[in-house]
Amino acid sequence: MNQGDPLVNPPHPPAATSVLLLRLRSLLTQILNGSQAAIAAFRAVRHPETGVITDLRCLVINAPAAQLFGQSPAALAGTFCLGSFLTPTAPALLAALIQVVESGVPLRQTVAWPSGQPDPTPSGQPAITHHLTAMKWGEGLTLILHPLVEPTLIAKLTQREAELQTLLDCTQAIPWQVDWPTQRLTVIGSQIEPLLGFPQASWTDVATWLSRVYVDDRAWVESYSLSQAAAGRDYTLEYRFLSQQGAIVWVRHTVKVVRQNDQTQTLIGFIFDISDRKLEQAELAQAQLATEQANAALHQITQQLQDLAHVDDLTHLANRRRFDDHLQREWQRLAREHQPLSLLLCEIDHFQAYNEAYGPQAGDNSLLQVAQVLTTVARRPSDLVARYRDETFAILLPATQQEGALYVAARIQEKLTSLQIIHSISPTRPYLTLSIGVAQLIPAPERSPQTLVSIADAALGRAKREGRNAIVYEPIPE
């Protein structure tokens, strides 16, 4: 018989759970190895007596993350703890990561992450600014760090714009001039030839100019330029040329419109090569997309791991952790709605004797059969069937009065009796039976949800004392 929480005590998970864990680990490994971001997963280390988290131990880590710690992934996985690394320089960050595990609330912030080898004393090594995302999973967290590339690129782009403005002011860009009435290109700087490959003398008119604009940009560049020039409005464009060698070249096109007698006479402009800037923008967009995809994949994995952490590994019912969470939520909801909440605690009679007589495998099979009976009867979407402890199961029935809860309990006993699961050494019946304690009350904010559990547990105790294979309803204590 397999008992307990799968993440707290998983000695022998069944085949289905093992396969799921292997698939999740394989998917996580693919994400880790394929991501440019620094990604690692840590498990909480708790004090054996107090239960307080004292550190975070590395479980899996990819190469970019291992580089931040100055070691290889193989050297860090399973051995490295964050406490010794962060305590000297960033104790507040360590405390914040521990709080993520305790509260389940994700952490997203910009941090100055120390670089190089971990050192027990501050070494003066420069810190690298990263965007940090930490999300709880199971008894630990996933950590994502990626350098803040965007501010760097923005700074570079701003600097490039300043440089281009200086070039414009000093007329060191590629100057040009058009006589608007004739559409003739009267001036073009010699720098146009090394930029686009076409001879300087070949730039004769506006039509020639437009014919060398990249075909996907040509129509809108022509329409916008002609309308602005005709209206006498100065303008700036960014578009693509196709060079004589067939390469795409991004340019920034700044135009001053000169008018006389309310008629456009001359266009004076400068061309700036902005291909590098556009390349940086494309790389930035690609990096952001890759980060978003990695975050989405990790969120999906984290959700799957969190779901797995709330499932009993033998019966695949909700485990005690999920039962407690669901009870708290339903208690609050039904208190607002002033609706009743019923609870059934169902215990297999003389299960230890059954387990010893027929063996652990038969014991596990009987638990699975009982679990199937319970889920067959309590089948409303709002009902929750959970493995509460060992051979005891809990059924939460929201918005259910005493009569409805007793009906469900009776149906469970009927279905289990019909299976006639042999239990020849039971002093109660020669087949497997259940004792069921039933409780029902209307939740109130001033009461604890454990009140309902205590009442149901008392009812279960009475059912066992009164000969087992019984259903006992315990009224609310006065």
Side-chain angles (χ1 to χ4, degrees):
M1 179 181 64
N2 200 339
Q3 303 175 1
D5 191 314
L7 292 184
V8 174
N9 183 23
H12 302 290
T17 304
S18 299
V19 170
L20 179 55
L21 286 171
L22 288 173
R23 288 178 178 173
L24 289 175
R25 179 172 290 183
S26 174
L27 180 56
L28 180 58
T29 301
Q30 293 176 22
I31 294 297
L32 290 174
N33 294 337
S35 175
Q36 298 300 314
I39 305 174
F42 292 84
R43 185 180 180 87
V45 178
R46 294 184 181 272
H47 190 281
E49 296 179 359
T50 65
V52 174
I53 296 178
T54 58
D55 211 336
L56 296 167
R57 179 177 290 113
C58 179
L59 295 179
V60 289
I61 188 168
N62 69 352
Q67 188 175 5
L68 292 177
F69 298 109
Q71 299 186 47
S72 68
L76 294 171
T79 60
F80 176 74
C81 290
L82 273 179
S84 59
F85 186 84
L86 291 179
T87 299
T89 55
L93 177 57
L94 178 63
L97 294 177
I98 290 174
Q99 185 61 25
V100 171
V101 182
E102 296 287 22
S103 67
V105 178
L107 174 67
R108 295 179 178 88
Q109 66 180 51
T110 300
V111 297
W113 192 265
S115 63
Q117 295 285 349
D119 191 337
T121 60
S123 61
Q125 294 175 339
I128 302 174
T129 301
H130 286 75
H131 179 73
L132 176 146
T133 301
M135 297 178 291
K136 174 182 172 67
W137 69 273
E139 271 296 294
L141 56 78
T142 54
L143 189 66
I144 308 171
L145 286 159
H146 53 83
L148 288 183
V149 180
E150 182 176 353
T152 303
L153 287 181
I154 290 175
K156 288 173 66 177
L157 296 177
T158 302
Q159 181 182 359
R160 179 65 56 82
E161 290 291 337
E163 292 172 352
L164 294 178
Q165 188 62 46
T166 301
L167 290 173
L168 177 61
D169 294 342
C170 299
T171 67
Q172 294 179 4
I174 304 175
W176 58 269
Q177 181 173 309
V178 167
D179 179 66
W180 185 249
T182 64
Q183 300 284 291
R184 299 294 298 173
L185 192 61
T186 57
V187 174
I188 186 74
S190 60
Q191 305 97 316
I192 196 69
E193 189 166 338
L195 178 64
L196 296 176
F198 300 104
Q200 181 182 10
S202 68
W203 295 81
T204 57
D205 53 29
V206 172
T208 301
W209 181 298
L210 291 172
S211 70
R212 292 169 181 175
V213 174
Y214 186 61
V215 63
D216 290 351
D217 296 346
R218 190 175 300 157
W220 73 263
V221 168
E222 178 178 9
S223 173
Y224 184 77
S225 298
L226 294 180
S227 64
Q228 296 299 102
R233 292 189 290 263
D234 300 342
Y235 62 97
T236 298
L237 291 178
E238 291 184 0
Y239 59 93
R240 294 166 289 183
F241 273 118
L242 192 64
S243 73
Q244 191 175 42
Q245 293 76 28
I248 293 176
V249 180
W250 275 96
V251 298
R252 186 167 183 254
H253 181 117
T254 303
V255 183
K256 173 68 177 177
V257 179
V258 180
R259 291 168 69 82
Q260 185 176 359
N261 298 327
D262 205 27
Q263 296 293 321
T264 299
Q265 298 296 320
T266 306
L267 305 184
I268 300 173
F270 294 87
I271 298 173
F272 303 92
D273 179 10
I274 59 170
S275 297
D276 289 346
R277 193 191 82 181
K278 287 294 184 179
L279 178 61
E280 289 170 346
Q281 289 176 335
E283 290 174 347
L284 173 60
Q286 185 176 9
Q288 290 175 325
L289 177 61
T291 299
E292 291 171 0
Q293 291 173 338
N295 287 342
L298 280 171
H299 176 74
Q300 181 182 5
I301 293 171
T302 299
Q303 187 61 52
Q304 290 174 319
L305 290 172
Q306 288 175 343
D307 292 343
L308 187 63
H310 287 78
V311 174
D312 177 64
D313 55 353
L314 173 64
T315 63
H316 302 294
L317 298 176
N319 63 12
R320 176 65 177 272
R321 180 185 303 171
R322 185 179 172 195
F323 170 81
D324 290 339
D325 291 345
H326 193 75
L327 173 61
Q328 184 68 39
R329 288 196 300 271
E330 288 298 290
W331 187 270
Q332 294 172 353
R333 180 177 72 85
L334 295 172
R336 292 192 301 269
E337 299 175 3
H338 203 65
Q339 291 288 320
L341 177 62
S342 292
L343 171 63
L344 279 61
L345 288 181
C346 313
E347 183 175 308
I348 300 175
D349 295 325
H350 309 293
F351 180 75
Q352 294 304 321
Y354 183 95
N355 209 41
E356 292 170 3
Y358 298 103
Q361 184 61 54
D364 286 354
N365 288 337
S366 69
L367 288 169
L368 289 170
Q369 288 176 290
V370 171
Q372 186 174 10
V373 168
L374 301 182
T375 54
T376 301
V377 176
R379 55 193 302 173
R380 296 182 307 174
S382 60
D383 297 342
L384 178 74
V385 180
R387 187 178 179 190
Y388 189 73
R389 57 175 178 255
D390 298 335
E391 65 269 29
T392 304
F393 298 86
I395 304 177
L396 271 178
L397 302 171
T400 303
Q401 299 283 359
Q402 172 189 345
E403 294 79 6
L406 290 172
Y407 173 79
V408 170
R411 288 286 295 143
I412 289 171
Q413 284 199 331
E414 289 174 10
K415 280 191 168 291
L416 183 61
T417 300
S418 69
L419 294 179
Q420 296 287 295
I421 303 171
I422 299 300
H423 190 355
S424 59
I425 62 173
S426 170
T428 303
R429 293 285 188 278
Y431 46 82
L432 213 62
T433 59
L434 284 175
S435 295
I436 304 177
V438 181
Q440 175 263 313
L441 54 74
I442 297 177
E446 64 273 12
R447 279 180 167 172
S448 167
Q450 290 306 311
T451 303
L452 182 65
V453 176
S454 298
I455 298 172
D457 207 24
L460 176 61
R462 278 184 53 200
K464 292 161 66 176
R465 289 192 302 272
E466 294 174 4
R468 300 181 184 265
N469 191 30
I471 299 171
V472 172
Y473 174 79
E474 187 76 11
I476 302 172
E478 294 298 332

